[in-house]
Amino acid sequence: MDHDSLLEPSWADAHAAAYAAARPVPAERVPLVEAVGRVLAEPAVSLMDLPRSTTSAMDGWVVSGVTGPWELVGSSLAGHPMRRALAPGTAAVIATGGVVPAGAFGVLRRELGSVRTADGGAWAEGDGPAWVHADPPADGPPAEPAAGSHVRPAGLEAAQADVLVAPGRVLTPPQVGLAAMAGNDELTVHRPVTAALLVMGDEVRHDGLPGEGEVRDAFAPQLPHLARLLGLETGPATFVADTLDAAVEAIRACEADVVLTTGGTAAGPADYLHRALTVLGAELVVDTVAMRPGHPVLLARLQDGRSLVGLPGNPLSAMAGALTIVRPLALGLLGLPPVVLGRVVTAEAVGAPAHDSRLVPYVRVPDVDGLGDLLERDVAVGTTRGVLARPTAWLGSGMLRGLAGADGVLVVPPGGVRAGAVVPDLPLPW
Ligand SMILES: Nc1nc2c(c(=O)[nH]1)N[C@H]1C(S)=C(S)[C@@H](COP(=O)(O)OP(=O)(O)OC[C@H]3O[C@@H](n4cnc5c(N)ncnc54)[C@H](O)[C@@H]3O)O[C@H]1N2
Ligand code: MOO
């Protein structure tokens, strides 16, 4: 074992070490349509003033001068801008998105004006000079045009070189749309992070009812999806026989950035993971964590620098290990910020070993007795008023029923907590 490895660190130290162990994967330029859902690696900047030109927000007439009528002298339509300045006392037909010419005072919406002769008579095509009149409402002076009415100045949304999206976040559809509006064709994103899944154990059955001494495999149907929820690209799990050679060969054959194994983490007669890692010359970064369940989880660095997480075989222990180690590792590799723990008020006392944290799935229940109100400034400490966390039943490390119905997971500190305590809340990734 390398002298830098953490042997049985606290839950918080293990969680932080897994994030710190990860260097973001390299970046690549991708077309915008492929950038949604990827992690931005370099700022998305505006390549121009946005909008590029001063444009109209409405259909109507752009006028020069405060009061009309204005002589109609041309038009400025989308794709056919009016290039000359508008002289005082004149107007041009303008469409939404049309360029507002120099000299403009404001835009008069078409429903608030009309085209007539200079003295207000009816005007038809071919009648000679046309004039735009503002039509005042029955009870007062014209509300439009006003200075700059319905005019979107160039650069209103962004100036050239403005940072539109900061790196280190998963790009959303509107962020990519914004990058397009600002003239970008590509963005720089981290390349995808891949994971391989190896399910170890001779006693696991893949379908049907298990026989005596067998269990149904809890991992192959869910781990690929959990990995994807954590941002990792992965295919189906591979089953590996309980022998040292099989474990070594299976790990060696993986090309993914992260290898996730299940089972074989303890020191039992059929537990080969540690020995396989020694054969492979891997370095342990975290070797067991002071938590229950999930105690034997490990994080190793393979010789070529890729990561391996050994999840315990017990189903709830494996999930505790995934939330504690795989999630922060994935966030670090993806170039994303670390997990922020929430805070909840526990409805009941929860025990924990003297030296181990306990990960306890909970359900949200209404705080009918006002237990949370007994706390000073419960809102200020980040809890949700009126909501308590009640530990689920089925907390055994070999069970999944509690987690399956849970709203979150309490990270109960060593020694446990009393009812009404504020406890860190590990949000679920699904
Ligand atoms: N003497 C000790 N024994 C154990 C210790 C210990 O400290 N000293 N730690 C216990 C803890 S805590 C855990 S957690 C488990 C970890 O076991 P392994 O990772 O070595 O896993 P296995 O021994 O292979 O299996 C444990 C358990 O999980 C079931 N299992 C395995 N794979 C699957 C699967 N794909 N689907 C469903 N269930 C699975 C397996 O049948 C066992 O019941 O070690 C304790 N022992
Ligand atoms: O720590 Mo083990 O994961 O309790 O069962």
Side-chain angles (χ1 to χ4, degrees), residues 293-388:
H295 180 251
V297 66
L298 64 83
L299 169 61
R301 189 174 292 121
L302 299 173
Q303 264 184 334
D304 60 7
R306 290 175 304 128
S307 301
L308 179 143
V309 181
L311 299 170
N314 279 317
L316 187 57
S317 309
M319 300 305 273
L323 294 175
T324 302
I325 301 292
V326 182
R327 177 153 56 176
L329 180 73
L331 291 172
L333 289 167
L334 286 161
L336 288 168
V339 174
V340 176
L341 296 186
R343 294 165 78 88
V344 280
V345 179
T346 174
E348 297 169 9
V350 193
H355 302 292
D356 292 337
S357 293
R358 200 166 155 219
L359 267 52
V360 177
Y362 74 83
V363 289
R364 278 191 281 271
V365 292
D367 183 9
V368 284
D369 296 328
L371 191 58
D373 293 340
L374 299 178
L375 294 168
E376 286 175 32
R377 304 187 312 277
D378 61 341
V379 173
V381 295
T383 63
T384 304
R385 188 180 284 276
V387 174
L388 298 177

Side-chain angles (χ1 to χ4, degrees), residues 275-297:
R275 276 180 281 164
L277 292 175
T278 304
V279 171
L280 291 164
E283 172 197 340
L284 284 167
V285 180
V286 173
D287 187 14
T288 73
V289 176
M291 68 169 176
R292 304 283 162 170
H295 180 251
V297 66

Side-chain angles (χ1 to χ4, degrees), residues 199-200 203-204 215-219 263-266 271 292 295-296 311-315 317:
V199 173
M200 299 184 174
E203 77 283 23
V204 295
V215 291
R216 265 299 296 274
D217 164 41
F219 299 130
T265 56
D271 295 335
R292 304 283 162 170
H295 180 251
L311 299 170
N314 279 317
S317 309

